[in-house]
Amino acid sequence: MVCMVSRTGRQMQRYNKGHRLVVGCIPYRFTRNGEFEVLVVSSQKGHAMMFPKGGWETDESVEEAASRESLEEAGVLGIVQCELGKWRFKSKSQGIYHEGYMFPLLVTEQLSLWPEQNLRKRAWMTVEEASEACQQWWMKEALEKLVNRLNSSDLESSLI
């Protein structure tokens, strides 16, 4: 059973030295043709495309937060993989600094109903399309790290 309500409010948010901790995922899949695609979502106001992300709360692990954000914002479930990195960035809306952790999420299920479906659009894109559509520099860097990781694992598996 999947919870179909998004968490709201900041009373359970984690902070580090005054910086809000946020966690996100790059949901990805391989199509039947072997094409690599990533899932992006619109911002709540609908003006920008990005990867699912949100606050890391005190009652969950960082991986649980990443999975929750992907469910709430993009309506996907999957396997949270090894962290891509940590970035410090300035919030566009509040002008304060956040620390953002990003993870790959290998998508195993795409839901037809999800908590923020009336607030956001979602779209599967190629890496090139997503890199162009995503306006957050740190998310673009995380995407580049994911692509490099997958390319190096392909190289490693072809050498075995």
Side-chain angles (χ1 to χ4, degrees), residues 7-15 55-60:
R7 290 185 174 200
T8 58
R10 299 258 165 98
Q11 60 273 21
M12 293 182 64
Q13 293 291 285
R14 290 180 190 248
Y15 291 84
W56 177 10
E57 300 190 353
T58 56
D59 67 339
E60 60 191 353

Side-chain angles (χ1 to χ4, degrees), residues 78-95:
I79 302 164
V80 176
Q81 298 173 323
C82 187
E83 180 183 312
L84 293 165
K86 178 174 87 170
W87 289 264
R88 185 165 287 165
F89 63 96
K90 195 171 192 177
S91 165
K92 289 183 180 179
S93 62
Q94 300 166 349

Side-chain angles (χ1 to χ4, degrees), residues 20-22 67 72 76 117 138 147 150:
R20 182 171 170 238
L21 302 182
V22 298
S67 182
E72 289 178 356
V76 292
Q117 70 184 32
W138 64 282
V147 169
L150 292 173

